[in-house]
Amino acid sequence: MSRLGLGLAVVAAAGLACVVTPLGAVQAHDGPPPNARPGECFGRVILPPVYGDAAQRVLEQPAWTETVRGRPIVDKVVRKVLVRPAQTVRVRTRPVYRNEVSWVERPGRLRTVREPDRYRIVRDKVLVEPGHAEWRPSSAPLAYGESAGQTVLQPTGEVMCRVWVPARYAYSSRKVLVERGRAYQVRGPASRKKVVRRVLVRDGGWTERTVAAVYRNEIVRREVREGRSQVISHPAVYSSVHRQVLVRAESPGWARVVCGGAIAPAWMAALQQRLIAQGFDPGPPDGVGRPQTYAALRLYQRAHKLAQGQITVETAQALGLL
């Protein structure tokens, strides 16, 4: 379908569907796998080389023997050695004192307490306006000829009512002295002070004291029997060296490809954008497959050791397209 022989790549708009199954991604035989499922497509590709890990045993040190002499049997004897004999020395004794504790009572201090004057608030009721009667227009005018008690009825329908207005009062506050302030003296609590006096019990002087003898322990080592000789055999020392071995060289084969119809421009544009994100230059991501796009795809497959020559399922999964 392309100059480089790329196979079917995407699901076309015609509605063909492909199911990604855990079938092997690449096959190194002459034809497609006989156990392929319906809806799966395989294409001719160039399979990457396969390497294995080979371990080689290398001799680092040959076997050798050595003669080791054991430790001798030693007997330990502990003996006391006199460092300084007992002696009588004349020492000076210190005077002996004792503490006598007494308590001194102190009366509390006098202080003057002053209480301020005490007042209370008295509210007085003052007449502002006495109650009186006045004329006021009625909110619901009467029709001509109706009687409304104390009203002035006019042909125009206007009604005046005689209304009693209650008296209005105001309240004023004033301070009234309840009790004059006073001053009096209060004595605080008494305190006790601790007085400690040092009293001589016995004068110092001279006395004789016996100092015990000083000894130290000495350990004397004595060889009872010589150490025995022993021949020890050491095995050879080997190490494992790991290296890569070519198991299968780069060869043609079959690999599972993304099946469907023609490559959709939107899918090709997504492929180009993923190649650009991976650091490969497929040209402008306009959804048009060109030789530069296929060359960048081959470089990506070679760099990631994938099958080359087709848009395989393995490549699409690596690019995050499936």
Side-chain angles (χ1 to χ4, degrees):
M1 107 181 214
S2 65
R3 297 183 186 179
L4 299 180
L6 294 177
L8 296 177
V10 295
V11 177
L16 296 179
C18 292
V19 180
V20 179
T21 62
L23 188 64
V26 294
Q27 301 289 335
H29 47 72
D30 295 336
N35 57 345
R37 299 179 183 179
E40 295 178 345
C41 301
F42 287 80
R44 274 283 191 180
V45 294
I46 299 176
L47 302 178
V50 178
Y51 294 90
D53 188 14
Q56 184 179 2
R57 196 179 184 193
V58 179
L59 176 65
E60 289 191 354
Q61 185 177 357
W64 57 285
T65 60
E66 64 173 341
T67 303
V68 179
R69 183 168 182 174
R71 293 183 179 180
I73 299 177
V74 178
D75 188 15
K76 297 179 182 180
V77 178
V78 180
R79 64 179 181 178
K80 295 178 68 175
V81 178
L82 179 64
V83 177
R84 188 181 64 203
Q87 56 183 346
T88 302
V89 295
R90 194 165 180 260
V91 295
R92 185 176 180 86
T93 59
R94 294 182 179 180
V96 179
Y97 296 89
R98 63 180 175 84
N99 293 333
E100 289 186 351
V101 180
S102 61
W103 295 88
V104 178
E105 297 285 342
R106 291 185 177 179
R109 297 179 55 184
L110 286 175
R111 60 186 182 90
T112 302
V113 179
R114 298 184 181 277
E115 293 182 352
D117 297 340
R118 292 193 301 111
Y119 295 89
R120 65 183 178 88
I121 304 300
V122 178
R123 297 187 64 187
D124 296 328
K125 187 175 181 182
V126 180
L127 178 64
V128 177
E129 182 182 4
H132 61 281
E134 63 180 20
W135 288 100
R136 291 185 182 179
S138 174
S139 59
L142 300 177
Y144 182 74
E146 293 182 357
S147 175
Q150 292 183 347
T151 59
V152 176
L153 189 62
Q154 296 180 4
T156 59
E158 182 179 3
V159 177
M160 298 296 291
C161 298
R162 190 70 169 172
V163 179
W164 175 259
V165 178
R168 289 191 302 110
Y169 295 90
Y171 293 89
S172 62
S173 301
R174 57 190 176 88
K175 291 174 65 175
V176 176
L177 180 64
V178 176
E179 183 180 356
R180 288 287 182 182
R182 62 191 182 95
Y184 55 91
Q185 288 187 335
V186 177
R187 183 176 295 276
S191 61
R192 299 179 65 194
K193 183 179 180 182
K194 185 178 181 180
V195 179
V196 180
R197 186 177 62 175
R198 199 176 185 194
V199 179
L200 179 64
V201 177
R202 185 177 64 244
D203 290 332
W206 292 92
T207 184
E208 291 183 351
R209 188 176 65 184
T210 301
V211 180
V214 178
Y215 295 89
R216 63 180 173 86
N217 293 331
E218 284 188 351
I219 299 177
V220 180
R221 296 176 179 269
R222 182 177 56 183
E223 186 173 340
V224 178
R225 189 180 64 192
E226 294 183 355
R228 296 180 179 178
S229 298
Q230 183 182 5
V231 178
I232 300 177
S233 299
H234 296 275
V237 179
Y238 294 89
S239 63
S240 297
V241 178
H242 295 268
R243 58 190 180 87
Q244 281 193 345
V245 179
L246 181 64
V247 177
R248 188 192 67 202
E250 189 175 75
S251 60
W254 292 85
R256 179 139 171 243
V257 298
V258 180
C259 56
I263 298 179
W267 199 91
M268 179 59 73
L271 173 66
Q272 293 169 337
Q273 291 175 355
R274 298 298 172 88
L275 290 174
I276 293 174
Q278 293 290 333
F280 298 90
D281 185 14
D286 52 3
V288 178
R290 50 178 59 86
Q292 184 178 358
T293 302
Y294 304 134
L297 181 62
R298 275 182 174 273
L299 292 175
Y300 172 81
Q301 291 172 333
R302 180 178 292 274
H304 291 78
K305 297 181 180 180
L306 301 173
Q308 306 171 37
Q310 300 278 358
I311 303 180
T312 63
V313 171
E314 190 178 18
T315 301
Q317 290 176 345
L319 289 172
L321 297 173
L322 288 181

